[in-house]
PDB file of all heavy atoms in Angstrom:
ATOM      1  N   SER A   1     -14.441   5.228  -9.636  1.00 97.00           N
ATOM      2  CA  SER A   1     -13.135   5.889  -9.575  1.00 97.00           C
ATOM      3  C   SER A   1     -12.145   5.076  -8.748  1.00 97.00           C
ATOM      4  O   SER A   1     -12.522   4.197  -7.951  1.00 97.00           O
ATOM      5  CB  SER A   1     -13.269   7.291  -8.982  1.00 97.00           C
ATOM      6  OG  SER A   1     -13.647   7.201  -7.615  1.00 97.00           O
ATOM      7  N   LEU A   2     -10.870   5.402  -8.924  1.00 98.00           N
ATOM      8  CA  LEU A   2      -9.817   4.778  -8.125  1.00 98.00           C
ATOM      9  C   LEU A   2     -10.016   5.092  -6.648  1.00 98.00           C
ATOM     10  O   LEU A   2      -9.776   4.242  -5.785  1.00 98.00           O
ATOM     11  CB  LEU A   2      -8.450   5.280  -8.608  1.00 98.00           C
ATOM     12  CG  LEU A   2      -7.224   4.819  -7.825  1.00 98.00           C
ATOM     13  CD1 LEU A   2      -7.084   3.296  -7.876  1.00 98.00           C
ATOM     14  CD2 LEU A   2      -5.964   5.488  -8.363  1.00 98.00           C
ATOM     15  N   HIS A   3     -10.485   6.306  -6.356  1.00 97.00           N
ATOM     16  CA  HIS A   3     -10.723   6.692  -4.965  1.00 97.00           C
ATOM     17  C   HIS A   3     -11.733   5.751  -4.309  1.00 97.00           C
ATOM     18  O   HIS A   3     -11.527   5.281  -3.180  1.00 97.00           O
ATOM     19  CB  HIS A   3     -11.222   8.138  -4.903  1.00 97.00           C
ATOM     20  CG  HIS A   3     -11.521   8.598  -3.501  1.00 97.00           C
ATOM     21  ND1 HIS A   3     -12.732   8.360  -2.885  1.00 97.00           N
ATOM     22  CD2 HIS A   3     -10.753   9.261  -2.591  1.00 97.00           C
ATOM     23  CE1 HIS A   3     -12.717   8.864  -1.657  1.00 97.00           C
ATOM     24  NE2 HIS A   3     -11.516   9.404  -1.452  1.00 97.00           N
ATOM     25  N   GLU A   4     -12.824   5.456  -4.993  1.00 97.00           N
ATOM     26  CA  GLU A   4     -13.844   4.592  -4.419  1.00 97.00           C
ATOM     27  C   GLU A   4     -13.345   3.156  -4.280  1.00 97.00           C
ATOM     28  O   GLU A   4     -13.688   2.456  -3.334  1.00 97.00           O
ATOM     29  CB  GLU A   4     -15.110   4.632  -5.284  1.00 97.00           C
ATOM     30  CG  GLU A   4     -15.805   5.990  -5.266  1.00 97.00           C
ATOM     31  CD  GLU A   4     -16.142   6.447  -3.860  1.00 97.00           C
ATOM     32  OE1 GLU A   4     -16.925   5.744  -3.175  1.00 97.00           O
ATOM     33  OE2 GLU A   4     -15.632   7.494  -3.427  1.00 97.00           O
ATOM     34  N   ALA A   5     -12.525   2.712  -5.229  1.00 97.00           N
ATOM     35  CA  ALA A   5     -11.992   1.347  -5.154  1.00 97.00           C
ATOM     36  C   ALA A   5     -11.062   1.171  -3.957  1.00 97.00           C
ATOM     37  O   ALA A   5     -11.038   0.103  -3.328  1.00 97.00           O
ATOM     38  CB  ALA A   5     -11.262   1.010  -6.447  1.00 97.00           C
ATOM     39  N   LEU A   6     -10.312   2.220  -3.629  1.00 97.00           N
ATOM     40  CA  LEU A   6      -9.340   2.132  -2.549  1.00 97.00           C
ATOM     41  C   LEU A   6      -9.867   2.641  -1.214  1.00 97.00           C
ATOM     42  O   LEU A   6      -9.607   2.041  -0.162  1.00 97.00           O
ATOM     43  CB  LEU A   6      -8.068   2.899  -2.919  1.00 97.00           C
ATOM     44  CG  LEU A   6      -7.238   2.374  -4.087  1.00 97.00           C
ATOM     45  CD1 LEU A   6      -6.039   3.276  -4.331  1.00 97.00           C
ATOM     46  CD2 LEU A   6      -6.784   0.944  -3.849  1.00 97.00           C
ATOM     47  N   PHE A   7     -10.579   3.758  -1.261  1.00 96.00           N
ATOM     48  CA  PHE A   7     -10.918   4.449  -0.018  1.00 96.00           C
ATOM     49  C   PHE A   7     -12.425   4.616   0.214  1.00 96.00           C
ATOM     50  O   PHE A   7     -12.821   5.250   1.184  1.00 96.00           O
ATOM     51  CB  PHE A   7     -10.258   5.835  -0.007  1.00 96.00           C
ATOM     52  CG  PHE A   7      -8.789   5.811  -0.354  1.00 96.00           C
ATOM     53  CD1 PHE A   7      -8.311   6.473  -1.481  1.00 96.00           C
ATOM     54  CD2 PHE A   7      -7.886   5.116   0.428  1.00 96.00           C
ATOM     55  CE1 PHE A   7      -6.961   6.448  -1.805  1.00 96.00           C
ATOM     56  CE2 PHE A   7      -6.538   5.076   0.105  1.00 96.00           C
ATOM     57  CZ  PHE A   7      -6.070   5.739  -1.010  1.00 96.00           C
ATOM     58  N   GLY A   8     -13.242   4.089  -0.682  1.00 94.00           N
ATOM     59  CA  GLY A   8     -14.685   4.244  -0.548  1.00 94.00           C
ATOM     60  C   GLY A   8     -15.264   3.388   0.578  1.00 94.00           C
ATOM     61  O   GLY A   8     -14.592   2.499   1.130  1.00 94.00           O
ATOM     62  N   ASP A   9     -16.516   3.643   0.928  1.00 92.00           N
ATOM     63  CA  ASP A   9     -17.170   2.916   2.018  1.00 92.00           C
ATOM     64  C   ASP A   9     -17.252   1.419   1.749  1.00 92.00           C
ATOM     65  O   ASP A   9     -17.249   0.612   2.684  1.00 92.00           O
ATOM     66  CB  ASP A   9     -18.585   3.474   2.236  1.00 92.00           C
ATOM     67  CG  ASP A   9     -18.547   4.887   2.798  1.00 92.00           C
ATOM     68  OD1 ASP A   9     -17.492   5.265   3.357  1.00 92.00           O
ATOM     69  OD2 ASP A   9     -19.548   5.613   2.680  1.00 92.00           O
ATOM     70  N   GLU A  10     -17.345   1.032   0.492  1.00 93.00           N
ATOM     71  CA  GLU A  10     -17.482  -0.388   0.152  1.00 93.00           C
ATOM     72  C   GLU A  10     -16.155  -1.048  -0.211  1.00 93.00           C
ATOM     73  O   GLU A  10     -16.133  -2.198  -0.656  1.00 93.00           O
ATOM     74  CB  GLU A  10     -18.459  -0.542  -1.030  1.00 93.00           C
ATOM     75  CG  GLU A  10     -19.826   0.073  -0.798  1.00 93.00           C
ATOM     76  CD  GLU A  10     -20.511  -0.531   0.423  1.00 93.00           C
ATOM     77  OE1 GLU A  10     -20.368  -1.762   0.628  1.00 93.00           O
ATOM     78  OE2 GLU A  10     -21.188   0.215   1.154  1.00 93.00           O
ATOM     79  N   SER A  11     -15.064  -0.348  -0.038  1.00 94.00           N
ATOM     80  CA  SER A  11     -13.758  -0.898  -0.421  1.00 94.00           C
ATOM     81  C   SER A  11     -13.358  -2.047   0.502  1.00 94.00           C
ATOM     82  O   SER A  11     -13.612  -2.013   1.715  1.00 94.00           O
ATOM     83  CB  SER A  11     -12.692   0.201  -0.365  1.00 94.00           C
ATOM     84  OG  SER A  11     -11.406  -0.347  -0.604  1.00 94.00           O
ATOM     85  N   ARG A  12     -12.720  -3.046  -0.062  1.00 95.00           N
ATOM     86  CA  ARG A  12     -12.198  -4.174   0.705  1.00 95.00           C
ATOM     87  C   ARG A  12     -10.678  -4.114   0.805  1.00 95.00           C
ATOM     88  O   ARG A  12     -10.007  -5.134   1.006  1.00 95.00           O
ATOM     89  CB  ARG A  12     -12.611  -5.497   0.030  1.00 95.00           C
ATOM     90  CG  ARG A  12     -14.102  -5.665  -0.184  1.00 95.00           C
ATOM     91  CD  ARG A  12     -14.871  -5.633   1.125  1.00 95.00           C
ATOM     92  NE  ARG A  12     -14.450  -6.702   2.021  1.00 95.00           N
ATOM     93  CZ  ARG A  12     -14.879  -6.817   3.280  1.00 95.00           C
ATOM     94  NH1 ARG A  12     -15.696  -5.899   3.794  1.00 95.00           N
ATOM     95  NH2 ARG A  12     -14.466  -7.812   4.043  1.00 95.00           N
ATOM     96  N   LEU A  13     -10.138  -2.921   0.666  1.00 96.00           N
ATOM     97  CA  LEU A  13      -8.687  -2.763   0.720  1.00 96.00           C
ATOM     98  C   LEU A  13      -8.121  -3.232   2.055  1.00 96.00           C
ATOM     99  O   LEU A  13      -7.049  -3.835   2.110  1.00 96.00           O
ATOM    100  CB  LEU A  13      -8.305  -1.302   0.471  1.00 96.00           C
ATOM    101  CG  LEU A  13      -6.813  -0.965   0.560  1.00 96.00           C
ATOM    102  CD1 LEU A  13      -6.025  -1.718  -0.505  1.00 96.00           C
ATOM    103  CD2 LEU A  13      -6.577   0.534   0.423  1.00 96.00           C
ATOM    104  N   ALA A  14      -8.843  -2.949   3.154  1.00 93.00           N
ATOM    105  CA  ALA A  14      -8.338  -3.332   4.476  1.00 93.00           C
ATOM    106  C   ALA A  14      -8.084  -4.833   4.561  1.00 93.00           C
ATOM    107  O   ALA A  14      -7.059  -5.270   5.104  1.00 93.00           O
ATOM    108  CB  ALA A  14      -9.343  -2.897   5.546  1.00 93.00           C
ATOM    109  N   ASP A  15      -8.989  -5.631   4.019  1.00 94.00           N
ATOM    110  CA  ASP A  15      -8.808  -7.085   4.057  1.00 94.00           C
ATOM    111  C   ASP A  15      -7.565  -7.507   3.287  1.00 94.00           C
ATOM    112  O   ASP A  15      -6.812  -8.393   3.727  1.00 94.00           O
ATOM    113  CB  ASP A  15     -10.039  -7.783   3.465  1.00 94.00           C
ATOM    114  CG  ASP A  15     -11.300  -7.496   4.275  1.00 94.00           C
ATOM    115  OD1 ASP A  15     -11.169  -7.238   5.478  1.00 94.00           O
ATOM    116  OD2 ASP A  15     -12.402  -7.532   3.689  1.00 94.00           O
ATOM    117  N   ARG A  16      -7.349  -6.885   2.142  1.00 96.00           N
ATOM    118  CA  ARG A  16      -6.166  -7.229   1.331  1.00 96.00           C
ATOM    119  C   ARG A  16      -4.873  -6.845   2.067  1.00 96.00           C
ATOM    120  O   ARG A  16      -3.885  -7.569   2.023  1.00 96.00           O
ATOM    121  CB  ARG A  16      -6.238  -6.529  -0.027  1.00 96.00           C
ATOM    122  CG  ARG A  16      -7.463  -6.888  -0.850  1.00 96.00           C
ATOM    123  CD  ARG A  16      -7.465  -8.361  -1.218  1.00 96.00           C
ATOM    124  NE  ARG A  16      -8.718  -8.798  -1.798  1.00 96.00           N
ATOM    125  CZ  ARG A  16      -9.014  -8.742  -3.083  1.00 96.00           C
ATOM    126  NH1 ARG A  16      -8.141  -8.263  -3.937  1.00 96.00           N
ATOM    127  NH2 ARG A  16     -10.180  -9.180  -3.516  1.00 96.00           N
ATOM    128  N   LEU A  17      -4.911  -5.699   2.725  1.00 96.00           N
ATOM    129  CA  LEU A  17      -3.713  -5.245   3.432  1.00 96.00           C
ATOM    130  C   LEU A  17      -3.370  -6.164   4.594  1.00 96.00           C
ATOM    131  O   LEU A  17      -2.201  -6.485   4.834  1.00 96.00           O
ATOM    132  CB  LEU A  17      -3.903  -3.811   3.932  1.00 96.00           C
ATOM    133  CG  LEU A  17      -4.007  -2.729   2.854  1.00 96.00           C
ATOM    134  CD1 LEU A  17      -4.344  -1.390   3.475  1.00 96.00           C
ATOM    135  CD2 LEU A  17      -2.716  -2.629   2.060  1.00 96.00           C
ATOM    136  N   LEU A  18      -4.395  -6.588   5.335  1.00 95.00           N
ATOM    137  CA  LEU A  18      -4.142  -7.494   6.463  1.00 95.00           C
ATOM    138  C   LEU A  18      -3.538  -8.807   5.992  1.00 95.00           C
ATOM    139  O   LEU A  18      -2.688  -9.402   6.671  1.00 95.00           O
ATOM    140  CB  LEU A  18      -5.447  -7.746   7.216  1.00 95.00           C
ATOM    141  CG  LEU A  18      -5.983  -6.550   8.021  1.00 95.00           C
ATOM    142  CD1 LEU A  18      -7.351  -6.852   8.573  1.00 95.00           C
ATOM    143  CD2 LEU A  18      -5.017  -6.176   9.143  1.00 95.00           C
ATOM    144  N   ALA A  19      -3.962  -9.289   4.827  1.00 95.00           N
ATOM    145  CA  ALA A  19      -3.400 -10.520   4.285  1.00 95.00           C
ATOM    146  C   ALA A  19      -1.943 -10.333   3.880  1.00 95.00           C
ATOM    147  O   ALA A  19      -1.135 -11.274   3.960  1.00 95.00           O
ATOM    148  CB  ALA A  19      -4.228 -10.985   3.088  1.00 95.00           C
ATOM    149  N   LEU A  20      -1.583  -9.124   3.438  1.00 96.00           N
ATOM    150  CA  LEU A  20      -0.218  -8.867   2.987  1.00 96.00           C
ATOM    151  C   LEU A  20       0.755  -8.643   4.136  1.00 96.00           C
ATOM    152  O   LEU A  20       1.971  -8.677   3.941  1.00 96.00           O
ATOM    153  CB  LEU A  20      -0.199  -7.652   2.048  1.00 96.00           C
ATOM    154  CG  LEU A  20      -0.922  -7.852   0.714  1.00 96.00           C
ATOM    155  CD1 LEU A  20      -0.892  -6.569  -0.113  1.00 96.00           C
ATOM    156  CD2 LEU A  20      -0.300  -8.996  -0.075  1.00 96.00           C
ATOM    157  N   VAL A  21       0.238  -8.397   5.349  1.00 95.00           N
ATOM    158  CA  VAL A  21       1.111  -8.215   6.506  1.00 95.00           C
ATOM    159  C   VAL A  21       1.892  -9.496   6.801  1.00 95.00           C
ATOM    160  O   VAL A  21       2.986  -9.447   7.377  1.00 95.00           O
ATOM    161  CB  VAL A  21       0.279  -7.772   7.737  1.00 95.00           C
ATOM    162  CG1 VAL A  21       1.103  -7.826   9.010  1.00 95.00           C
ATOM    163  CG2 VAL A  21      -0.246  -6.365   7.522  1.00 95.00           C
ATOM    164  N   ILE A  22       1.365 -10.636   6.385  1.00 94.00           N
ATOM    165  CA  ILE A  22       2.068 -11.912   6.602  1.00 94.00           C
ATOM    166  C   ILE A  22       2.626 -12.467   5.295  1.00 94.00           C
ATOM    167  O   ILE A  22       2.842 -13.667   5.169  1.00 94.00           O
ATOM    168  CB  ILE A  22       1.127 -12.940   7.265  1.00 94.00           C
ATOM    169  CG1 ILE A  22      -0.125 -13.160   6.405  1.00 94.00           C
ATOM    170  CG2 ILE A  22       0.750 -12.503   8.669  1.00 94.00           C
ATOM    171  CD1 ILE A  22      -1.008 -14.291   6.889  1.00 94.00           C
ATOM    172  N   HIS A  23       2.860 -11.585   4.336  1.00 95.00           N
ATOM    173  CA  HIS A  23       3.421 -12.014   3.052  1.00 95.00           C
ATOM    174  C   HIS A  23       4.848 -12.539   3.255  1.00 95.00           C
ATOM    175  O   HIS A  23       5.584 -12.044   4.128  1.00 95.00           O
ATOM    176  CB  HIS A  23       3.424 -10.826   2.075  1.00 95.00           C
ATOM    177  CG  HIS A  23       3.720 -11.207   0.664  1.00 95.00           C
ATOM    178  ND1 HIS A  23       5.006 -11.297   0.165  1.00 95.00           N
ATOM    179  CD2 HIS A  23       2.910 -11.540  -0.371  1.00 95.00           C
ATOM    180  CE1 HIS A  23       4.961 -11.646  -1.110  1.00 95.00           C
ATOM    181  NE2 HIS A  23       3.707 -11.796  -1.453  1.00 95.00           N
ATOM    182  N   PRO A  24       5.277 -13.522   2.475  1.00 95.00           N
ATOM    183  CA  PRO A  24       6.636 -14.075   2.632  1.00 95.00           C
ATOM    184  C   PRO A  24       7.746 -13.046   2.440  1.00 95.00           C
ATOM    185  O   PRO A  24       8.825 -13.193   3.042  1.00 95.00           O
ATOM    186  CB  PRO A  24       6.709 -15.164   1.559  1.00 95.00           C
ATOM    187  CG  PRO A  24       5.287 -15.524   1.265  1.00 95.00           C
ATOM    188  CD  PRO A  24       4.496 -14.282   1.471  1.00 95.00           C
ATOM    189  N   GLU A  25       7.532 -12.029   1.615  1.00 96.00           N
ATOM    190  CA  GLU A  25       8.587 -11.055   1.351  1.00 96.00           C
ATOM    191  C   GLU A  25       8.502  -9.894   2.340  1.00 96.00           C
ATOM    192  O   GLU A  25       7.459  -9.258   2.487  1.00 96.00           O
ATOM    193  CB  GLU A  25       8.481 -10.545  -0.089  1.00 96.00           C
ATOM    194  CG  GLU A  25       8.690 -11.638  -1.131  1.00 96.00           C
ATOM    195  CD  GLU A  25       8.732 -11.113  -2.545  1.00 96.00           C
ATOM    196  OE1 GLU A  25       9.148  -9.946  -2.726  1.00 96.00           O
ATOM    197  OE2 GLU A  25       8.344 -11.850  -3.471  1.00 96.00           O
ATOM    198  N   GLU A  26       9.619  -9.620   2.979  1.00 96.00           N
ATOM    199  CA  GLU A  26       9.643  -8.611   4.037  1.00 96.00           C
ATOM    200  C   GLU A  26       9.307  -7.213   3.515  1.00 96.00           C
ATOM    201  O   GLU A  26       8.611  -6.443   4.183  1.00 96.00           O
ATOM    202  CB  GLU A  26      11.018  -8.595   4.711  1.00 96.00           C
ATOM    203  CG  GLU A  26      11.100  -7.672   5.914  1.00 96.00           C
ATOM    204  CD  GLU A  26      12.463  -7.710   6.577  1.00 96.00           C
ATOM    205  OE1 GLU A  26      13.337  -8.450   6.096  1.00 96.00           O
ATOM    206  OE2 GLU A  26      12.657  -6.984   7.573  1.00 96.00           O
ATOM    207  N   ASP A  27       9.796  -6.876   2.318  1.00 96.00           N
ATOM    208  CA  ASP A  27       9.511  -5.554   1.763  1.00 96.00           C
ATOM    209  C   ASP A  27       8.012  -5.334   1.590  1.00 96.00           C
ATOM    210  O   ASP A  27       7.506  -4.236   1.834  1.00 96.00           O
ATOM    211  CB  ASP A  27      10.214  -5.383   0.410  1.00 96.00           C
ATOM    212  CG  ASP A  27      11.712  -5.248   0.546  1.00 96.00           C
ATOM    213  OD1 ASP A  27      12.176  -5.011   1.680  1.00 96.00           O
ATOM    214  OD2 ASP A  27      12.424  -5.382  -0.466  1.00 96.00           O
ATOM    215  N   VAL A  28       7.316  -6.377   1.175  1.00 97.00           N
ATOM    216  CA  VAL A  28       5.868  -6.279   1.007  1.00 97.00           C
ATOM    217  C   VAL A  28       5.189  -6.120   2.365  1.00 97.00           C
ATOM    218  O   VAL A  28       4.271  -5.299   2.527  1.00 97.00           O
ATOM    219  CB  VAL A  28       5.329  -7.515   0.265  1.00 97.00           C
ATOM    220  CG1 VAL A  28       3.800  -7.487   0.206  1.00 97.00           C
ATOM    221  CG2 VAL A  28       5.906  -7.583  -1.144  1.00 97.00           C
ATOM    222  N   GLN A  29       5.629  -6.867   3.370  1.00 96.00           N
ATOM    223  CA  GLN A  29       5.073  -6.743   4.718  1.00 96.00           C
ATOM    224  C   GLN A  29       5.195  -5.306   5.241  1.00 96.00           C
ATOM    225  O   GLN A  29       4.221  -4.716   5.714  1.00 96.00           O
ATOM    226  CB  GLN A  29       5.801  -7.679   5.686  1.00 96.00           C
ATOM    227  CG  GLN A  29       5.612  -9.161   5.432  1.00 96.00           C
ATOM    228  CD  GLN A  29       6.419  -9.987   6.420  1.00 96.00           C
ATOM    229  OE1 GLN A  29       6.874  -9.492   7.451  1.00 96.00           O
ATOM    230  NE2 GLN A  29       6.610 -11.256   6.111  1.00 96.00           N
ATOM    231  N   ILE A  30       6.412  -4.779   5.147  1.00 97.00           N
ATOM    232  CA  ILE A  30       6.671  -3.434   5.674  1.00 97.00           C
ATOM    233  C   ILE A  30       5.831  -2.398   4.951  1.00 97.00           C
ATOM    234  O   ILE A  30       5.235  -1.503   5.567  1.00 97.00           O
ATOM    235  CB  ILE A  30       8.173  -3.105   5.553  1.00 97.00           C
ATOM    236  CG1 ILE A  30       8.989  -4.017   6.466  1.00 97.00           C
ATOM    237  CG2 ILE A  30       8.433  -1.640   5.889  1.00 97.00           C
ATOM    238  CD1 ILE A  30      10.482  -3.896   6.286  1.00 97.00           C
ATOM    239  N   GLN A  31       5.750  -2.513   3.619  1.00 97.00           N
ATOM    240  CA  GLN A  31       4.994  -1.528   2.848  1.00 97.00           C
ATOM    241  C   GLN A  31       3.502  -1.627   3.147  1.00 97.00           C
ATOM    242  O   GLN A  31       2.802  -0.613   3.203  1.00 97.00           O
ATOM    243  CB  GLN A  31       5.261  -1.715   1.356  1.00 97.00           C
ATOM    244  CG  GLN A  31       4.813  -0.557   0.487  1.00 97.00           C
ATOM    245  CD  GLN A  31       5.448   0.763   0.899  1.00 97.00           C
ATOM    246  OE1 GLN A  31       6.649   0.839   1.147  1.00 97.00           O
ATOM    247  NE2 GLN A  31       4.633   1.805   0.987  1.00 97.00           N
ATOM    248  N   ALA A  32       2.995  -2.832   3.368  1.00 97.00           N
ATOM    249  CA  ALA A  32       1.588  -2.996   3.735  1.00 97.00           C
ATOM    250  C   ALA A  32       1.298  -2.315   5.072  1.00 97.00           C
ATOM    251  O   ALA A  32       0.254  -1.663   5.237  1.00 97.00           O
ATOM    252  CB  ALA A  32       1.231  -4.481   3.801  1.00 97.00           C
ATOM    253  N   CYS A  33       2.214  -2.446   6.018  1.00 96.00           N
ATOM    254  CA  CYS A  33       2.050  -1.768   7.310  1.00 96.00           C
ATOM    255  C   CYS A  33       2.057  -0.249   7.149  1.00 96.00           C
ATOM    256  O   CYS A  33       1.301   0.461   7.826  1.00 96.00           O
ATOM    257  CB  CYS A  33       3.153  -2.201   8.273  1.00 96.00           C
ATOM    258  SG  CYS A  33       3.037  -3.930   8.806  1.00 96.00           S
ATOM    259  N   LYS A  34       2.899   0.249   6.264  1.00 96.00           N
ATOM    260  CA  LYS A  34       2.937   1.689   6.023  1.00 96.00           C
ATOM    261  C   LYS A  34       1.606   2.198   5.479  1.00 96.00           C
ATOM    262  O   LYS A  34       1.138   3.280   5.856  1.00 96.00           O
ATOM    263  CB  LYS A  34       4.063   2.026   5.043  1.00 96.00           C
ATOM    264  CG  LYS A  34       5.461   1.911   5.621  1.00 96.00           C
ATOM    265  CD  LYS A  34       6.506   2.320   4.585  1.00 96.00           C
ATOM    266  CE  LYS A  34       7.904   2.259   5.160  1.00 96.00           C
ATOM    267  NZ  LYS A  34       8.931   2.658   4.156  1.00 96.00           N
ATOM    268  N   VAL A  35       1.001   1.424   4.577  1.00 96.00           N
ATOM    269  CA  VAL A  35      -0.291   1.832   4.032  1.00 96.00           C
ATOM    270  C   VAL A  35      -1.349   1.834   5.129  1.00 96.00           C
ATOM    271  O   VAL A  35      -2.165   2.755   5.231  1.00 96.00           O
ATOM    272  CB  VAL A  35      -0.722   0.906   2.877  1.00 96.00           C
ATOM    273  CG1 VAL A  35      -2.084   1.330   2.342  1.00 96.00           C
ATOM    274  CG2 VAL A  35       0.305   0.948   1.754  1.00 96.00           C
ATOM    275  N   ILE A  36      -1.331   0.826   5.986  1.00 95.00           N
ATOM    276  CA  ILE A  36      -2.292   0.759   7.090  1.00 95.00           C
ATOM    277  C   ILE A  36      -2.155   1.973   7.993  1.00 95.00           C
ATOM    278  O   ILE A  36      -3.148   2.602   8.379  1.00 95.00           O
ATOM    279  CB  ILE A  36      -2.091  -0.540   7.892  1.00 95.00           C
ATOM    280  CG1 ILE A  36      -2.472  -1.752   7.036  1.00 95.00           C
ATOM    281  CG2 ILE A  36      -2.913  -0.521   9.177  1.00 95.00           C
ATOM    282  CD1 ILE A  36      -2.129  -3.089   7.678  1.00 95.00           C
ATOM    283  N   VAL A  37      -0.911   2.333   8.325  1.00 94.00           N
ATOM    284  CA  VAL A  37      -0.681   3.498   9.170  1.00 94.00           C
ATOM    285  C   VAL A  37      -1.170   4.767   8.494  1.00 94.00           C
ATOM    286  O   VAL A  37      -1.804   5.632   9.122  1.00 94.00           O
ATOM    287  CB  VAL A  37       0.811   3.616   9.529  1.00 94.00           C
ATOM    288  CG1 VAL A  37       1.103   4.941  10.235  1.00 94.00           C
ATOM    289  CG2 VAL A  37       1.237   2.449  10.408  1.00 94.00           C
ATOM    290  N   SER A  38      -0.913   4.905   7.193  1.00 93.00           N
ATOM    291  CA  SER A  38      -1.345   6.120   6.490  1.00 93.00           C
ATOM    292  C   SER A  38      -2.869   6.212   6.424  1.00 93.00           C
ATOM    293  O   SER A  38      -3.431   7.310   6.420  1.00 93.00           O
ATOM    294  CB  SER A  38      -0.763   6.157   5.078  1.00 93.00           C
ATOM    295  OG  SER A  38      -1.345   5.162   4.262  1.00 93.00           O
ATOM    296  N   LEU A  39      -3.550   5.067   6.374  1.00 92.00           N
ATOM    297  CA  LEU A  39      -5.012   5.080   6.369  1.00 92.00           C
ATOM    298  C   LEU A  39      -5.578   5.451   7.735  1.00 92.00           C
ATOM    299  O   LEU A  39      -6.611   6.120   7.831  1.00 92.00           O
ATOM    300  CB  LEU A  39      -5.546   3.699   5.969  1.00 92.00           C
ATOM    301  CG  LEU A  39      -5.302   3.251   4.531  1.00 92.00           C
ATOM    302  CD1 LEU A  39      -5.772   1.822   4.338  1.00 92.00           C
ATOM    303  CD2 LEU A  39      -6.003   4.172   3.549  1.00 92.00           C
ATOM    304  N   GLN A  40      -4.900   5.062   8.797  1.00 84.00           N
ATOM    305  CA  GLN A  40      -5.400   5.288  10.144  1.00 84.00           C
ATOM    306  C   GLN A  40      -5.115   6.689  10.669  1.00 84.00           C
ATOM    307  O   GLN A  40      -5.873   7.213  11.466  1.00 84.00           O
ATOM    308  CB  GLN A  40      -4.790   4.265  11.107  1.00 84.00           C
ATOM    309  CG  GLN A  40      -5.202   2.837  10.832  1.00 84.00           C
ATOM    310  CD  GLN A  40      -6.639   2.596  11.195  1.00 84.00           C
ATOM    311  OE1 GLN A  40      -7.541   2.892  10.422  1.00 84.00           O
ATOM    312  NE2 GLN A  40      -6.871   2.077  12.384  1.00 84.00           N
ATOM    313  N   CYS A  41      -3.996   7.259  10.206  1.00 69.00           N
ATOM    314  CA  CYS A  41      -3.545   8.527  10.781  1.00 69.00           C
ATOM    315  C   CYS A  41      -3.386   9.593   9.714  1.00 69.00           C
ATOM    316  O   CYS A  41      -2.384   9.605   8.996  1.00 69.00           O
ATOM    317  CB  CYS A  41      -2.206   8.340  11.494  1.00 69.00           C
ATOM    318  SG  CYS A  41      -2.260   7.130  12.820  1.00 69.00           S
ATOM    319  N   PRO A  42      -4.326  10.497   9.556  1.00 62.00           N
ATOM    320  CA  PRO A  42      -4.152  11.635   8.646  1.00 62.00           C
ATOM    321  C   PRO A  42      -2.932  12.452   9.029  1.00 62.00           C
ATOM    322  O   PRO A  42      -2.533  12.500  10.194  1.00 62.00           O
ATOM    323  CB  PRO A  42      -5.450  12.434   8.835  1.00 62.00           C
ATOM    324  CG  PRO A  42      -6.440  11.442   9.349  1.00 62.00           C
ATOM    325  CD  PRO A  42      -5.643  10.480  10.189  1.00 62.00           C
ATOM    326  N   GLN A  43      -2.341  13.123   8.048  1.00 52.00           N
ATOM    327  CA  GLN A  43      -1.079  13.822   8.271  1.00 52.00           C
ATOM    328  C   GLN A  43      -1.179  14.925   9.303  1.00 52.00           C
ATOM    329  O   GLN A  43      -0.249  15.208  10.029  1.00 52.00           O
ATOM    330  CB  GLN A  43      -0.568  14.410   6.947  1.00 52.00           C
ATOM    331  CG  GLN A  43       0.009  13.362   6.023  1.00 52.00           C
ATOM    332  CD  GLN A  43       0.665  13.976   4.816  1.00 52.00           C
ATOM    333  OE1 GLN A  43       0.638  15.182   4.629  1.00 52.00           O
ATOM    334  NE2 GLN A  43       1.254  13.134   3.997  1.00 52.00           N
TER     335      GLN A  43
END
């Protein structure tokens, strides 16, 4: 499922997000940080 690909125990999403924090485009950097924050802090 999409859930397991993104949020499952074996997901490598965190590694991809960390790489995007230094992306050349600022919009991509900011959005990657937003995803990291949403993963760390439940609403």
Side-chain angles (χ1 to χ4, degrees):
S1 67
L2 176 62
H3 179 275
E4 293 304 299
L6 294 179
F7 311 118
D9 291 340
E10 304 301 322
S11 174
R12 304 300 300 173
L13 177 63
D15 297 333
R16 301 296 170 88
L17 293 174
L18 289 173
L20 293 178
V21 169
I22 58 172
H23 191 273
E25 297 186 29
E26 186 178 0
D27 289 346
V28 174
Q29 294 178 16
I30 294 172
Q31 194 57 45
C33 292
K34 287 182 178 180
V35 179
I36 293 172
V37 171
S38 69
L39 292 175
Q40 295 289 83
C41 301
Q43 285 187 356

